[in-house]
Amino acid sequence: MRVTASLLDGATGQVGRTIKVDGRMDEIFALQDRLVRDLADLIRAVIRPTEAATLETGVVGAYEAFSKA
C-alpha cells in the first residue's frame, strides 16, 4: 500500500512538496505516524514526545472518519 500526502500553499492552492510512504495494510497506523513525522519535518515543526501520543489512534473507526474528512 502507498500513502501519498501533498503540502499545499493555502493562498495559491499550488502543491509544494509531496511525500510517499509504502507499507502493508496491517501496519496502517505506523504508516500514518511516519507520514505525520515526515510532514512535520518538511515544515520544520517540532513535535514533542508528549504531543506525539495525541497524534496516534488505535481506533479504526476514528481513522476512517478522519481519512474521509
Side-chain angles (χ1 to χ4, degrees):
M1 170 168 107
R2 172 172 281 172
V3 179
T4 304
S6 298
L7 292 176
L8 301 175
D9 183 312
T12 66
Q14 292 186 357
V15 175
R17 300 277 307 265
T18 299
I19 295 174
K20 297 176 185 173
V21 293
D22 295 316
R24 296 186 321 264
M25 187 63 153
D26 64 340
E27 56 185 14
I28 185 70
F29 297 115
L31 292 174
Q32 181 182 10
D33 293 344
R34 280 189 6 222
L35 190 62
V36 168
R37 282 191 299 272
D38 290 352
L39 288 169
D41 288 346
L42 273 182
I43 62 172
R44 294 185 174 94
V46 176
I47 300 175
R48 295 178 188 93
T50 55
E51 296 169 324
T54 64
L55 299 174
E56 300 173 1
T57 182
V59 180
V60 174
Y63 173 77
E64 289 174 348
F66 174 78
S67 65
K68 289 178 182 177

